[in-house]
Every structure is written in C-alpha cells, then in structure tokens.
Amino acid sequence: MLPHFSVWHTIRGKIALGTSLFLAMLLLLGGIAWYDLERIDRATRLIDMVDDLRSDVLEMRRYEKNLQLFSGRKGDLVALRSFVDLARDRATSVGQDYNAAMGRRVGDGAHHNLDLLLEGIGVYEALLNAVPTDGAALTDQGQRLSELADSAVRRMRQGIFTAVGDLRTQLLGAIAALLACGVAFAWHIGRHIMRALGAIENAARSVGAGQPLPPPPAQLEEEARHVLQTLDGMAVELEKRHALLLQEKKLASLGVLTSGVAHQLNNPLNNISVGCQLLGEDVNDARQGLRPMPTADDVTAQLNEIQAEVVRARDIVRGLLDFARDRPFTVAQHDLAGVVRRAVALVRHDMGAAVRIVEDVPAGLQLPMDAQRIQEVLINLLLNASQAMNGSGEVHISARVDESAGMAELRVRDTGKGIAPEHLGRVFDPFFSLKPVGEGTGLGLSIAFGIVGKHKGTLEAQSELGQGACFTLRLPLAARRDANVSGAES
C-alpha cells in the first residue's frame, strides 16, 4: 500500500505521481529496447561472421583438392595454410562474439560444435604439416571439418534466430506491461475525477434547487472538497442575499400598501369616534333632563358596534403586520381562499375604486404552502395588474384542481394592455421591468417565481398585446404534502 502522503489525497498529486511513474517506466522501456536492439545488431553481425567461417572452410577444401591434383604448386599449399589460420581465428572470434551477444545458451549445442570445429582444424593443420602428407587422411579430416562447420553454422543461426525472437517477445512484453500500467492508472485517475465531478454536479443541483448540499463521499479528494465547501458557502450567502432581497421588496410593497391601509383604518376609526360621541351625548342629555337615560340594551348595542369597528381595525393592522414580519420558510396546510382574501384586503384600496376584483376560489381547498409568501406573490400580481390597467378594469382570480397532475391552479387575469411577445419570455428575469424608470426594480416577478419554485410549483405568464395578461400559479395538492414539506423544510 502507498503511504498516506498528503499529495496522494489530491487529484493533482495522483496525476503528478502517476506521470512520474509513467516516465520512469518509459525510460526503463527505452533502456530495455536499446539493450535488445544492441543485442539484435550483434546477432546480425554474428550471422555474417558465421557465414564467413563456413566460406573459409569451403575455401580450405578447394585448395586441398587443388593440392592433391597439382602437387607441385607451392601457391596452393600457402593459400591452404593461410585459410586454415583464418578459419581457426574466425572460429575463435565467432565463439567469443557468440558468448557476448547470446550468452552461453544451455542446450543449443553451438559451443560444443565450435569446440569440435577448432579441435578438427588443429588436427587438419597437423596432417597438413606432416611429411610426407597423408592425402587420404587429410581428405577425410577436411570432409569432417565441412560437416562440423555446417553443423556449427546451422546451430548458431538457429540459436541467433531464437534469441532474436526472445528479445522481440521481451520487448513486446515490456510495451504491453507499460500500456497495461498506463490504462490502469488512467482508469484509476478517471474514476477519482468522475467521482469528484459527480459530487460537484450533485452539489450544484442541490444549490440550484435550494436544498442543502449532500454529504461528500468519504474518499473524495481535497480539491473537490474545497469546491464543495465553496459551493456550500455560496449557497448560504445566496440564501442570505435572497432573503435580504425579499425583505427589501416586501418593504417596498409596504410603502405602497401603507397609504391604502391608512385609508382603510380611517373608516373604522371614524365609526368608533362617532359611536363614542353619540353615546356621550345621550348620557349628557339624560343628566340635563333633556331625554331619558339610555337603557342598558341601547348602551350594549352601541358598545357592540364600537367593538366590531375595533376588531375591524385590528384585523387590518394584523394583516399588515403579518405581511411585514420576516419569518423562516414554513410549509403547512392553509386554505387557499383565505390566503387570496387576505391578499385582496391588503391591496384593495390601492387598486382604486374603478378596479373590480372577482374572486372565484373554491372554499375549503387546503394546500401545503407558506401562506405569507404565497400572499406576497398574489399581492405582487395584483399590484402589477392594477398598474397595467391604469387603475380601471377587472381582475379575475380563479382556482381549480387538476387531479391528474396532482396540482392546484390559481389564475390571476386582468384586462390591462398586455405584454408584447418579445417581452413575454423575460418577465421573470431579475431587474427586467416594463414600468418607467424609477417606478419599478424589476424584481417583483423574479422573486415571485422563486417563491413558487420553492413550493415545487410553477409560475407562467400568458398574454396578447391589448388583451390583458394571465398569470397561472400551479402548486402541489395536499396528496403531495409530505414530499413537499420535507423538501421545503430542508
């Protein structure tokens, strides 16, 4: 096993170490190839020397025959002796070069044949120098030398070709081993890289879905862990900035709603003031004897009217406070009609008396949602509809259940000027606004789109220029509550 160096725990370290090992093996293969090629070159030269040795023996036999046919020719004797010396020296040289090139290959018989050839050359030389020369013995010995030379040449050529084949096999084996190591290393590194990329991809998808990052694999490399830590930090920072942006948008909406809420509060406060004044006048007149003292039933009725107006004012303020309060994202079962009704109540005065709002939401439609944030979405859509209609027109809010898809559809349709086709695909882009400069940030629909997406729902826009616009909000039904609640809580 490799030691647990820190370099081995990083992809860069693995690549560097693997590259170093690969280069070392490549150098080793180069050395083996150079050594084998050197031996093959020696073997090639050795074949030429063996062929020359055989030629020398044949020349000896030729001059031997000339000497026997023309006994008086001194030149043939001199030439024969020179070829005897040359054959002996060449046989000795061949034996030495064969050992250097091939080594003493046990069982190939080449060394034994060379020894017999050298011994036979010595006997042949002794017969040649004897006086008188025994021609028959010399011929027999020459014939034996030819056979020994043929046998030695045959054995040596066979040994050389066998050695060259072994060297070729050795070289191919080294190349195959190098390739196998390279493939194994590439597979090992590729597996680690794919595992790191897979973990980063899962983390990126989790960040995109607004969910916490899954725990990294136990054997994940340090670079990938650093990337996941960075993504985790980015996700946390993005969530903080999104929450801050949402709160800023909510405060901007509060600025729009405050004037309307003030007017809404004015009516119950006036009614409370008038009720108190009337009750006080009745009591004062009774004390002065101008009229009878009000009965207990009359006082109770007037106090009940004052209490009703107090409750009305309290509900208005409570609705505004609930909208302004910053709470964590929490999914629970809520009545969709009640959420729509509270949203309409907050913006009703700001939309103007000339705007007619029609609510067609079935009662008792319970959905898993964060009521406060869905209310923010509806307020945003209603205010946009009012601005698109320039304070005059009709807004129709309807809802239906799509059982086959397991979704509830909530539609907000207005009779405004509509959206141009070239702008329709960009209405949910951050900072894109069709309002004049200074009247909008372009974040309202973008934030609404994010809120609906966090509910595992969708928000779509349909419009034709001059025909108004329709925004369709699709939310999961209560049958999918468990899956959505777990995702939202995460």
Side-chain angles (χ1 to χ4, degrees):
M1 296 179 58
L2 290 172
H4 292 283
F5 296 130
S6 59
V7 66
W8 185 247
H9 293 162
T10 64
I11 296 178
R12 286 176 294 180
K14 289 184 175 68
I15 293 177
L17 183 60
T19 304
S20 301
L21 292 176
F22 183 79
L23 291 177
M25 293 184 65
L26 192 62
L27 291 175
L28 178 61
L29 177 62
I32 294 174
W34 179 83
Y35 175 72
D36 289 347
L37 291 175
E38 186 70 20
R39 292 184 63 183
I40 290 173
D41 182 62
R42 289 182 182 179
T44 303
R45 293 197 303 267
L46 185 59
I47 289 175
D48 293 336
M49 293 177 63
V50 169
D51 290 337
D52 292 339
L53 175 60
R54 185 178 181 183
S55 298
D56 291 340
V57 173
L58 292 176
E59 288 294 324
M60 287 170 54
R61 295 303 313 281
R62 185 170 68 85
Y63 281 106
E64 173 194 326
K65 291 179 180 179
N66 290 340
L67 186 61
Q68 291 178 1
L69 293 174
F70 309 101
S71 58
R73 294 170 57 174
K74 298 296 185 181
D76 293 335
L77 180 60
V78 174
L80 178 56
R81 286 178 176 174
S82 66
F83 274 106
V84 170
D85 294 336
L86 182 60
R88 182 177 58 251
D89 294 341
R90 199 182 298 276
T92 303
S93 178
V94 166
Q96 294 173 352
D97 289 348
Y98 187 83
N99 290 336
M102 302 293 107
R104 295 195 63 89
R105 301 174 63 86
V106 179
D108 63 1
H111 294 90
H112 179 65
N113 287 341
L114 277 176
D115 292 340
L116 292 178
L117 182 60
L118 285 172
E119 182 181 347
I121 291 174
V123 173
Y124 187 86
E125 186 177 13
L127 291 173
L128 183 62
N129 292 330
V131 179
T133 302
D134 188 352
L138 188 63
T139 300
D140 292 340
Q141 185 63 24
Q143 180 65 32
R144 185 169 179 270
L145 285 179
S146 297
E147 295 174 356
L148 289 173
D150 290 341
S151 178
V153 169
R154 185 171 58 254
R155 294 272 187 170
M156 284 189 175
R157 290 176 69 90
Q158 182 180 359
I160 290 170
F161 290 143
T162 302
V164 170
D166 293 343
L167 293 176
R168 185 185 298 110
T169 302
Q170 179 181 347
L171 183 59
L172 292 177
I175 295 174
L178 180 63
L179 291 177
C181 292
V183 171
F185 174 71
W187 175 82
H188 178 74
I189 292 297
R191 185 167 60 90
H192 284 273
I193 292 176
M194 293 302 295
R195 181 173 60 190
L197 292 178
I200 293 173
E201 180 184 9
N202 292 335
R205 288 182 176 178
S206 299
V207 171
Q211 298 177 356
L213 268 65
Q219 300 298 325
L220 197 62
E221 283 70 18
E222 293 181 2
E223 296 98 334
R225 290 185 180 275
H226 292 163
V227 173
L228 294 182
Q229 291 174 1
T230 303
L231 283 176
D232 193 17
M234 290 172 58
V236 173
E237 184 65 23
L238 186 64
E239 187 67 23
K240 291 180 180 179
R241 291 179 182 271
H242 183 269
L244 181 61
L245 190 63
L246 186 63
Q247 188 65 15
E248 290 177 354
K249 179 61 181 177
K250 186 188 296 184
L251 292 176
S253 299
L254 280 175
V256 177
L257 298 176
T258 301
S259 59
V261 171
H263 285 87
Q264 292 183 54
L265 282 174
N266 189 51
N267 292 331
L269 291 177
N270 285 336
N271 293 335
I272 292 172
S273 176
V274 170
C276 292
Q277 290 176 7
L278 291 176
L279 183 60
E281 289 176 0
D282 290 343
V283 172
N284 290 331
D285 290 346
R287 287 176 178 175
Q288 295 175 9
L290 299 177
R291 66 178 66 184
M293 181 66 68
T295 65
D297 292 338
D298 293 336
V299 173
T300 301
Q302 289 183 345
L303 290 177
N304 288 338
E305 293 178 359
I306 294 174
Q307 176 64 22
E309 295 299 325
V310 170
V311 171
R312 179 184 171 191
R314 182 200 64 188
D315 291 341
I316 294 173
V317 174
R318 177 179 294 174
L320 185 63
L321 291 177
D322 288 341
F323 175 75
R325 186 176 294 113
D326 184 20
R327 293 184 299 182
F329 186 85
T330 305
V331 173
Q333 290 292 109
H334 292 280
D335 180 33
L336 182 60
V339 175
V340 172
R341 186 169 55 253
R342 289 192 295 271
V344 170
L346 283 174
V347 300
R348 184 67 191 86
H349 189 276
D350 293 283
M351 296 182 70
V355 175
R356 180 169 176 260
I357 301 177
V358 179
E359 299 180 36
D360 184 16
V361 181
L365 179 54
Q366 298 285 324
L367 297 178
M369 69 175 90
D370 186 320
Q372 181 190 18
R373 284 171 170 77
I374 295 299
Q375 182 178 315
E376 294 172 20
V377 173
L378 290 172
I379 288 174
N380 200 326
L381 296 178
L382 291 172
L383 290 177
N384 284 347
S386 175
Q387 294 169 355
M389 295 185 299
N390 294 323
S392 176
E394 180 178 292
V395 177
H396 190 271
I397 306 174
S398 62
R400 73 178 187 89
V401 175
D402 186 354
E403 294 286 354
S404 60
M407 305 288 281
E409 275 189 6
L410 178 65
R411 295 189 177 187
V412 179
R413 187 174 65 252
D414 61 63
T415 58
K417 56 187 177 181
I419 305 172
E422 62 270 18
H423 296 149
L424 189 60
R426 301 182 58 195
V427 293
F428 297 114
D429 292 348
F431 305 106
F432 177 79
S433 176
L434 296 175
K435 301 174 185 176
V437 177
E439 296 187 12
T441 62
L443 292 174
L445 288 178
S446 175
I447 292 176
F449 187 85
I451 291 174
V452 176
K454 203 166 185 179
H455 283 80
K456 311 298 181 184
T458 60
L459 180 60
E460 300 174 352
Q462 298 90 27
S463 177
E464 292 184 10
L465 200 60
Q467 301 296 321
C470 178
F471 288 85
T472 303
L473 191 155
R474 294 170 60 87
L475 294 174
L477 292 172
R480 298 174 57 186
R481 179 177 64 87
D482 292 339
N484 285 284
V485 167
S486 63
E489 290 176 348
S490 298

